[in-house]
Amino acid sequence: MTTNKWFKRFFSILCAFSLFAIPIAIAGCSGGCKSTERTAYVGSGVTHISVTAALRSWNDYLGLRDAELTALANTDPAKAAKERQKLGEQNAKIKDAYAKYQAAQLAVLTAAQLFGNLSPDDPNAPAAADRLNASIAASATTMNSVIDLLKQFGVKVK
Amino acid sequence: MNTALINLVIFAVQTLLREAPAAIAGIRALLTVDNPTDADYEAARKRIIADTYESLVPNAAKFPHNPTVDAPASQE
């Protein structure tokens, strides 16, 4: 039950940030933002804040599970060890997904910076814009990977 | 359906306000940048690199991943 509470908290934070990130991204292309470059810069920052907040909640959850499994180890050490092993595997997968997300975010910043340093009539501008769009798409995929992993761990996203 | 969506948005905003004032400050800071300079990009890169998994999830150390634990024991 307590576990469900922490998962709910974790996803409520993720959903809350997503609800903020989407309007900001839309506003970026509708007059609230002066350039594609700035949209990418702001979007990258908002995404990063969301992901780090989600990971902090994941950290809280792991702390709670650690306390639960330490108590369980007194009565059923085998079950506690198995649960601990399972969480270790899940944790490793999230860590790997986060590493990919970090790399994708750095790629977005690099592409946005390169694009921003070109004048609009530069012949390389269209290619730079394509690279920026591709890096943003890749970044979204890596963020979704983290969420998909948590779904695989039995989390119901409402 | 619409009521459910409105409730979800209200709940999400309440959660955000309750749980993450520092994050709101971070988003505000981002929005103040009109034209990101090279220094802004460098600072953003440093922030992302500084946010290592270990620093964000220190409790991960309590769950070391050891793939060999479930491996069948050698019969030799």
Side-chain angles (χ1 to χ4, degrees):
Chain A
M1 204 60 186
T2 319
T3 302
N4 286 339
K5 181 187 146 199
W6 281 93
F7 269 134
K8 277 182 184 171
R9 185 177 167 212
F10 172 75
F11 273 100
S12 65
I13 290 172
L14 200 60
C15 289
F17 278 111
S18 298
L19 285 169
F20 268 72
I22 291 165
I24 287 169
I26 293 167
C29 301
S30 60
C33 178
K34 293 185 178 66
S35 68
T36 307
E37 174 204 5
R38 180 183 181 252
T39 305
Y41 173 80
V42 173
S44 167
V46 172
T47 302
H48 189 62
I49 288 169
S50 309
V51 171
T52 53
L55 283 183
R56 285 194 183 97
S57 291
W58 171 246
N59 178 60
D60 292 344
Y61 169 72
L62 286 181
L64 182 77
R65 293 290 286 144
D66 179 55
E68 285 175 357
L69 293 177
T70 301
L72 180 64
N74 293 325
T75 55
D76 192 344
K79 188 178 177 186
K82 194 176 174 184
E83 284 291 310
R84 200 170 277 280
Q85 171 70 8
K86 187 179 163 189
L87 275 167
E89 288 168 9
Q90 292 175 344
N91 187 51
K93 287 178 181 173
I94 293 178
K95 182 180 178 180
D96 183 55
Y98 180 69
K100 287 174 182 164
Y101 153 82
Q102 269 186 312
Q105 281 296 302
L106 293 173
V108 168
L109 290 172
T110 301
Q113 188 176 14
L114 288 173
F115 178 74
N117 286 338
L118 295 175
S119 65
D121 54 352
D122 189 300
N124 293 320
D130 287 346
R131 269 199 300 278
L132 177 56
N133 288 331
S135 65
I136 290 169
S139 165
T141 302
T142 57
M143 188 184 174
N144 286 336
S145 294
V146 177
I147 295 166
D148 287 346
L149 274 176
L150 288 163
K151 281 182 184 171
Q152 284 175 28
F153 301 157
V155 181
K156 301 274 186 278
V157 183
K158 294 181 180 177
Chain B
M1 184 67 178
N2 285 341
T3 310
L5 184 63
I6 290 166
N7 286 339
L8 176 66
V9 170
I10 291 170
F11 175 71
V13 171
Q14 283 175 337
T15 304
L16 184 64
L17 293 174
R18 189 176 60 242
E19 302 279 356
I24 293 172
I27 292 171
R28 258 194 206 142
L30 282 168
L31 292 172
T32 59
V33 178
D34 276 342
N35 292 306
T37 63
D38 286 350
D40 289 325
Y41 281 111
E42 195 52 41
R45 272 194 205 94
K46 280 182 180 168
R47 271 197 301 274
I48 289 171
I49 292 167
D51 284 333
T52 61
Y53 188 78
E54 287 73 17
S55 70
L56 294 168
V57 192
N59 284 329
K62 296 171 183 172
F63 298 92
H65 182 223
N66 182 5
T68 60
V69 166
D70 287 339
S74 170
Q75 298 297 315
E76 294 175 14

